[in-house]
Amino acid sequence: MSYNFDKLTSRHNTNSWKWDIDAPDADVIPLWVADMDFEAAPKILDALRCRLDHAVFGYTKVPNSFYEAIQGWYSRRYGWSVQKDWILYTTGVVPAVSASIMALSGGEPCGVLCQTPAYNHFFSSIRNCRCHLVENRLVPNGDTFDIDFDDFERKAALPDTKIFLLCSPHNPTGRIWSPDELRRMADICRRHGVKIIADEIHSGIIMPGYHFTPFGAIGDEFQQDAIVTSSCTKSFNLAGLQICYFIIANPTLRAAVNRVVNVNEICDVNPFGVIALQVAFNECEDWLTEMCQYVEGNYQLLVQFLADTLPGWKASRLMATYLAWVDCRATGLNSEQLGRKLLTEAKVRVSSGDIYGEPDGFIRINLACPRPRLAEALKRIANSFGK
């Protein structure tokens, strides 16, 4: 590999949510919140240093090259022709999701269809927008999860269901939705007058052998019903730089979202995020490819370790994201009990499944860390269960 993902960079005492939440207990290995322990791509670091050397950091006008970088990314990777005027920007995908719900609901309570288990901030965004969750439970199928389409249609047909909040690729299960699945969901939503918000922030983190299809690329007819939101931040470990974009082909929906973004004053972004996105999308695909290969190696380490040491535990197939969804129901513990036991006894912080709407013995493990660190964490986990 050209890049050293084994490097053990210390993140203690950097005000890191991931690492410093357990201070002063420096012995905890954090495998929870979804950011990486890998240093950013060298070309991104060089560009940020150059901007830092200018020494003036005033309000930033987003240049045409920002939009061109996004357009080039989607054209090269997915064959999707995104028009410049479809793109809006804001500070992050969670604010973007909330702004989209507000725009589509018109500020009035309504039902938001969501596939569970689901990214935990979906629940808070729905609540904060005075809406309520309409749950479409994913169905276990071997080492992956499928959509219950009969239930999906029943829920989409409910009179107060106005929005479908799609996570693609899916967090926490690591599932990539096929073009046929996306079209089927889109067709159901169209027939029942349900608009779609597609959170695609994990779309760059695709494991070798898999392919991701953006929602907007499944057909021109479905673009008019959807708001797509994504960023470079998850794929390139840049979350602290606070940059995100919408892709909205429908001018009416775009105007509604733009108004919410401006009314809520989330319309300004920092200069480092603007620069980092351009360099990431224009110059760092090789870094992303190697990072995904490295995470795939970590996933294989996890799978083999569980088979050899904790055979009752099963990791879902990882198609995308760097987040492993692990079924630990054989322990007899619920999700919250598992998380607490691993933190207090193993000194490993994972995300317990209850925060994603799955109380029955699941955890989420962040695999985006140096392999020696993951290996040590797995040994601690096994030791806490007497293995």
Side-chain angles (χ1 to χ4, degrees), residues 208-254:
Y210 292 98
H211 178 74
F212 171 78
T213 300
F215 184 86
I218 62 173
D220 293 347
E221 67 274 23
F222 298 121
Q223 290 179 3
Q224 298 302 309
D225 298 326
I227 297 167
V228 174
T229 184
S230 191
S231 177
C232 63
T233 55
K234 198 66 69 178
S235 298
F236 292 93
N237 202 28
L238 303 169
L241 299 187
Q242 297 287 285
I243 190 72
C244 163
Y245 55 86
F246 304 86
I247 302 175
I248 313 172
N250 184 316
T252 302
L253 296 186
R254 189 166 63 248

Side-chain angles (χ1 to χ4, degrees), residues 323-353:
L323 306 166
W325 186 237
V326 183
D327 181 348
C328 313
R329 288 175 292 179
T331 65
L333 301 176
N334 65 34
S335 297
E336 189 275 334
Q337 291 168 334
L338 275 164
R340 186 170 64 248
K341 177 180 175 68
L342 293 177
L343 178 60
T344 58
E345 297 182 15
K347 298 294 185 182
V348 176
R349 181 181 285 275
V350 299
S351 296
S352 56

Side-chain angles (χ1 to χ4, degrees), residues 61-140:
K61 178 181 179 292
V62 175
N64 286 335
S65 54
F66 174 87
Y67 300 95
E68 291 167 354
I70 295 169
Q71 291 175 285
W73 182 256
Y74 281 90
S75 177
R76 291 193 311 275
R77 290 180 71 88
Y78 311 116
W80 183 23
S81 180
V82 173
Q83 305 305 306
K84 178 188 173 183
D85 62 0
W86 296 358
I87 302 170
L88 303 175
Y89 55 81
T90 187
T91 57
V93 164
V94 173
V97 166
S98 294
S100 299
I101 294 173
M102 290 179 194
L104 294 179
S105 67
E108 297 298 322
C110 71
V112 179
L113 180 58
C114 185
Q115 291 159 327
T116 57
Y119 173 49
N120 53 303
H121 284 288
F122 280 6
F123 304 137
S124 56
S125 287
I126 292 168
R127 288 194 307 271
N128 292 341
C129 294
R130 300 172 57 225
C131 295
H132 64 271
L133 174 69
V134 180
E135 192 174 16
N136 173 230
R137 295 287 295 177
L138 296 176
V139 179

Side-chain angles (χ1 to χ4, degrees), residues 98-358:
S98 294
S100 299
I101 294 173
M102 290 179 194
L104 294 179
S105 67
E108 297 298 322
C110 71
V112 179
L113 180 58
C114 185
Q115 291 159 327
T116 57
Y119 173 49
N120 53 303
H121 284 288
F122 280 6
F123 304 137
S124 56
S125 287
I126 292 168
R127 288 194 307 271
N128 292 341
C129 294
R130 300 172 57 225
C131 295
H132 64 271
L133 174 69
V134 180
E135 192 174 16
N136 173 230
R137 295 287 295 177
L138 296 176
V139 179
N141 180 12
D143 64 352
T144 189
F145 289 80
D146 289 338
I147 300 165
D148 182 342
F149 276 103
D150 291 337
D151 180 71
F152 185 92
E153 177 134 25
R154 283 193 298 271
K155 301 296 176 58
L158 293 173
D160 70 342
T161 301
K162 303 300 181 185
I163 300 167
F164 169 40
L165 180 49
L166 170 68
C167 192
S168 180
H170 189 263
N171 172 17
T173 68
R175 179 72 150 77
I176 293 177
W177 309 119
S178 71
D180 286 343
E181 289 170 320
L182 292 171
R183 291 189 192 98
R184 188 172 177 186
M185 288 187 283
D187 180 67
I188 290 170
C189 288
R190 168 165 279 200
R191 285 191 281 106
H192 295 289
V194 175
K195 299 301 184 185
I196 299 164
I197 304 167
D199 170 4
E200 297 184 350
I201 194 170
H202 290 275
S203 59
I205 310 166
I206 307 302
M207 295 301 100
Y210 292 98
H211 178 74
F212 171 78
T213 300
F215 184 86
I218 62 173
D220 293 347
E221 67 274 23
F222 298 121
Q223 290 179 3
Q224 298 302 309
D225 298 326
I227 297 167
V228 174
T229 184
S230 191
S231 177
C232 63
T233 55
K234 198 66 69 178
S235 298
F236 292 93
N237 202 28
L238 303 169
L241 299 187
Q242 297 287 285
I243 190 72
C244 163
Y245 55 86
F246 304 86
I247 302 175
I248 313 172
N250 184 316
T252 302
L253 296 186
R254 189 166 63 248
V257 169
N258 191 47
R259 175 162 178 75
V260 173
V261 166
N262 282 274
V263 164
N264 288 278
E265 303 295 353
I266 52 171
C267 49
D268 290 316
V269 290
N270 77 69
F272 295 102
V274 173
I275 291 167
L277 180 142
Q278 294 175 72
V279 178
F281 281 178
N282 290 336
E283 303 180 42
C284 296
E285 279 188 83
D286 61 335
W287 183 95
L288 180 60
T289 297
E290 289 195 16
M291 185 277 292
C292 290
Q293 292 169 349
Y294 190 89
V295 168
E296 165 69 13
N298 279 355
Y299 171 70
Q300 294 301 331
L301 171 65
L302 170 68
V303 170
Q304 191 62 55
F305 186 89
L306 295 181
D308 293 343
T309 311
L310 295 165
W313 299 37
K314 304 295 181 185
S316 296
R317 191 190 321 163
L318 190 67
M319 303 179 189
T321 83
Y322 48 71
L323 306 166
W325 186 237
V326 183
D327 181 348
C328 313
R329 288 175 292 179
T331 65
L333 301 176
N334 65 34
S335 297
E336 189 275 334
Q337 291 168 334
L338 275 164
R340 186 170 64 248
K341 177 180 175 68
L342 293 177
L343 178 60
T344 58
E345 297 182 15
K347 298 294 185 182
V348 176
R349 181 181 285 275
V350 299
S351 296
S352 56
D354 56 303
I355 68 172
Y356 308 107
E358 180 49 81

Side-chain angles (χ1 to χ4, degrees), residues 28-67:
V28 171
I29 298 176
L31 302 178
W32 63 295
V33 68
D35 75 13
M36 307 183 202
D37 289 336
F38 307 138
E39 295 181 357
K43 289 180 180 178
I44 296 174
L45 298 178
D46 289 344
L48 295 179
R49 289 189 189 102
C50 183
R51 180 65 181 86
L52 182 65
D53 287 343
H54 183 260
V56 178
F57 311 110
Y59 298 117
T60 295
K61 178 181 179 292
V62 175
N64 286 335
S65 54
F66 174 87
Y67 300 95

